[in-house]
Amino acid sequence: MDEKRTVKASKFLARVLRHEPGLIGVTLDEGGWVDVDVLLAACAAHGRRLSRAELEHVVETNNKKRYAISEDGRRIRASQGHSVSVDLGLAPAVPPDVLYHGTATVTVPIVLREGLRPMSRQDVHLSADLETAVRVGSRHGRPAVLAVDAAGLAAAGHVFRLSANGVWLSGPVPPERLRLLPS
C-alpha cells in the first residue's frame, strides 16, 4: 500500500470512526467499536474498497496511533477524537504536573479569555510533551502552545483520562489554569 493511499484511507477511517459512521451505514457500539468485517464490507459498498491487510497497515503505521483493533482482532475503533457520543471506557488517570495544548496563534486570545473547550469533540485533547503540542498547533497555521496546570486541576477534582494513543483527555479547562508559552 503506497503512502498516498494509506493517508487517504486513514483520513476516511477517521471520518467514519470518529464523526460519521452513518456515511457508510455502520453503527458504532457504545464503546466506539465496529466489527472489522462489517466496516470493510460497508467501505466496499460505498466505493472505498479496503482489504483486511490494508486496514491493518493503516492501523499499524498511523504515526498518531489513531485506531485500535480489539485483542481478538474482530473489532476496530478510533482511539479518541470522537464528535459522536461514545464511552471509551478509560479510567481516570493522574496526569503529569503540566500538560500542553497546541493551537493556532489566531485562537490564543479566545482561549485565554474562555479557556479550552471540547468544541465539536467530546473531550479537550492535551499532550504530555511540547513537541506533540507544537505539531498539533501547526495543523492550523502558526503554532502556539499553552501549558495546562494539570496538577492544580487534578487537585481541584478535575478528571483526566489517558487514551490508548497517549493523548490526555479532559473536560473544559478554565483560562486561569492556562499559560501561553513563548514561541
Side-chain angles (χ1 to χ4, degrees), residues 57-151:
H57 175 77
V58 169
V59 171
E60 290 168 11
T61 62
N62 185 271
N63 64 341
K64 296 179 183 173
K65 303 295 179 203
R66 281 195 171 110
Y67 315 103
I69 292 181
S70 62
E71 287 186 29
D72 64 7
R74 294 175 42 192
R75 300 176 302 151
I76 185 171
R77 73 175 178 184
S79 296
Q80 97 302 314
H82 299 84
S83 59
V84 296
S85 182
V86 298
D87 179 0
L88 297 174
L90 302 173
V94 177
D97 289 349
V98 177
L99 289 169
Y100 302 96
H101 181 80
T103 190
T105 55
V106 298
T107 64
V108 169
I110 296 166
V111 172
L112 290 176
R113 186 174 61 249
E114 298 177 11
L116 293 172
R117 297 174 293 150
M119 306 305 282
S120 64
R121 295 183 176 178
Q122 288 188 275
D123 300 289
V124 170
H125 292 194
L126 303 169
S127 305
D129 63 274
L130 195 55
E131 297 77 26
T132 300
V134 169
R135 195 169 52 251
V136 169
S138 297
R139 293 187 318 207
H140 305 289
R142 206 170 106 228
V145 176
L146 297 143
V148 176
D149 176 17

Side-chain angles (χ1 to χ4, degrees), residues 1-10 13 53-67 69:
M1 188 173 201
D2 68 41
E3 182 65 21
K4 186 176 177 181
R5 180 161 160 75
T6 300
V7 169
K8 198 171 185 175
S10 181
L13 288 172
E54 289 171 325
L55 177 70
E56 289 175 356
H57 175 77
V58 169
V59 171
E60 290 168 11
T61 62
N62 185 271
N63 64 341
K64 296 179 183 173
K65 303 295 179 203
R66 281 195 171 110
Y67 315 103
I69 292 181

Side-chain angles (χ1 to χ4, degrees), residues 44-55:
H46 288 81
R48 297 288 192 136
R49 188 169 304 278
L50 197 61
S51 71
R52 173 71 187 230
E54 289 171 325
L55 177 70

